[in-house]
Amino acid sequence: GYRIGVLATDGPLTVLHALEVPTRAHGVHVLADGTLLAAARRPGDWLVRWRPGAEPLWHWIDATRSFNGHVIASAGGRWLLTTETDIDTGASLVARRDARSLETDAEWPTHGIDAHELIWDGATLIVANGGVPTAPETGRVKRDLHTMDSSLVRLDGRTGALLGQWRLQDPRLSLRHLAWNPQRTVLGIALQAEHGDAAAKHAAPILALFDGQGLRAVPTPNAVETGIHGYGGSMAATQDGWAVSCPRANGIATFTPQGAWRGLVPLPEVCALAVSGRQLWAGGLHSSLQNALSTSSSPHPHAAALRGARLDNHWVVSG
């Protein structure tokens, strides 16, 4: 089955609370009072708001829309924002939803397709349009990749007006997950390569950096040797630099704050990354890494109840 939940880290990683969900979840977001928000993996049909110990509130999306896996809240907590796709046209949008009812209040185009993660930059929203064409009848099956159009867009957080749009030089790089550096001056974007040529795909970069003016891909010198296969999972940053989880390489690709390659930190089936102060927590199959970007990173064991479980794409540190 599939679950979202709360894990305790004081001692072996232990399940404190769990909620069964209908299909595989993707992004999670935690409100100030400990309430969890989670959206179904794309193309998804459910959104849930759940405070452990209370009944969850479910929202099932209209048949003309699908959730794209990510949800965040506004600064005051009045609104939730989700990335979605219009099933009829394939165009992506941001839906602004009432935080209490989960009903849609407004919809704004993202000026692209396959919108994925979104993040606040002051009063504006930055959204990653993955750009990968799919069809409603085939779900996640990719098609017509020669028509890919991935971009990063900035939207007015009140009106949804387009304030800027940026693309990488290589159209086969899909922009997916987002994380600010600690100073919130540079945005890191995890990439997923969609090249038809296997050699080009395996050598492709998995990190791009955006300084508010320009967007550039960062080379991954040892991509082929380390088996990254052009696939970046979750994205995170601390004072020590950037981290992109690479589940196909069973490791975390690490970079300096300026984007220079540092190396691959091994961790079987790693994907979920979360920042706690100066530390990076990385979730793997049999154990996790605490302070994963440090030269003295330490394995964090999983309790017996998690030995048959797999941590999924995302987690966050709360409290």
Side-chain angles (χ1 to χ4, degrees):
Y2 304 104
R3 293 169 180 82
I4 60 172
V6 180
L7 306 174
T9 58
D10 51 346
L13 205 64
T14 306
V15 178
L16 288 181
H17 307 280
L19 175 70
E20 191 165 353
V21 294
T23 58
R24 189 172 167 186
H26 189 72
V28 291
H29 185 83
V30 181
L31 301 180
D33 65 354
T35 297
L36 274 70
L37 304 168
R41 182 176 183 245
R42 66 182 174 93
D45 58 4
W46 60 264
L47 175 71
V48 66
R49 191 188 74 216
W50 174 54
R51 187 170 184 178
E55 284 297 310
L57 176 65
W58 297 92
H59 179 86
W60 297 89
I61 202 166
D62 182 274
T64 64
R65 298 283 187 270
S66 67
F67 286 118
N68 289 1
H70 283 277
V71 54
I72 61 173
S74 63
R78 179 183 178 187
W79 306 111
L80 306 181
L81 298 107
T82 53
T83 47
E84 303 179 11
T85 291
D86 184 314
I87 297 297
D88 294 329
T89 67
S92 282
L93 52 101
V94 170
R96 186 176 70 182
R97 296 175 171 273
D98 183 275
R100 292 190 175 274
S101 69
L102 305 185
E103 296 293 337
T104 300
D105 169 78
E107 291 183 344
W108 306 324
T110 68
H111 305 273
I113 63 171
D114 187 30
H116 201 58
E117 191 162 18
L118 68 174
I119 197 168
W120 286 106
D121 183 13
T124 69
L125 277 171
I126 297 181
V127 186
N129 285 313
V132 177
T134 58
E137 62 272 15
T138 54
R140 293 171 61 87
V141 176
K142 302 162 187 174
R143 62 189 181 95
D144 300 329
L145 287 173
H146 63 282
T147 67
M148 269 185 68
D149 184 20
S150 186
S151 66
L152 196 71
V153 295
R154 184 188 296 277
L155 306 178
D156 187 294
R158 296 161 297 179
T159 67
L162 179 66
L163 302 177
Q165 188 166 24
W166 298 264
R167 293 176 173 85
L168 291 171
Q169 189 171 10
D170 185 345
R172 289 295 186 98
L173 295 175
S174 177
L175 293 97
R176 310 303 303 178
H177 291 117
L178 310 171
W180 285 110
N181 67 351
Q183 298 79 23
R184 297 186 68 85
T185 55
V186 180
L187 185 70
I189 306 106
L191 306 175
Q192 293 177 9
E194 300 292 349
H195 301 83
D197 178 73
K201 183 174 183 177
H202 293 169
I206 54 166
L207 173 66
L209 298 178
F210 174 67
D211 63 3
Q213 301 297 320
L215 177 66
R216 66 181 178 95
V218 173
T220 308
N222 296 328
V224 175
E225 292 85 347
T226 50
I228 290 173
H229 301 301
Y231 188 89
S234 294
M235 179 78 233
T238 72
Q239 296 287 354
D240 295 312
W242 303 99
V244 181
S245 60
C246 302
R248 297 179 184 177
N250 291 303
I252 308 157
T254 62
F255 302 82
T256 68
Q258 295 72 37
W261 172 254
R262 290 178 59 184
L264 191 77
V265 178
L267 185 62
E269 292 194 21
V270 60
C271 197
L273 302 176
V275 175
S276 176
R278 287 190 65 104
Q279 293 193 353
L280 176 72
W281 283 79
L285 179 60
H286 302 297
S287 66
S288 299
L289 281 181
Q290 183 177 352
N291 207 14
L293 284 183
S294 168
T295 54
S296 58
S297 61
S298 56
H300 195 88
H302 292 179
L306 282 172
R307 286 179 189 155
R310 278 193 165 100
L311 297 175
D312 216 320
N313 294 108
H314 300 290
W315 61 0
V316 296
V317 174
S318 178

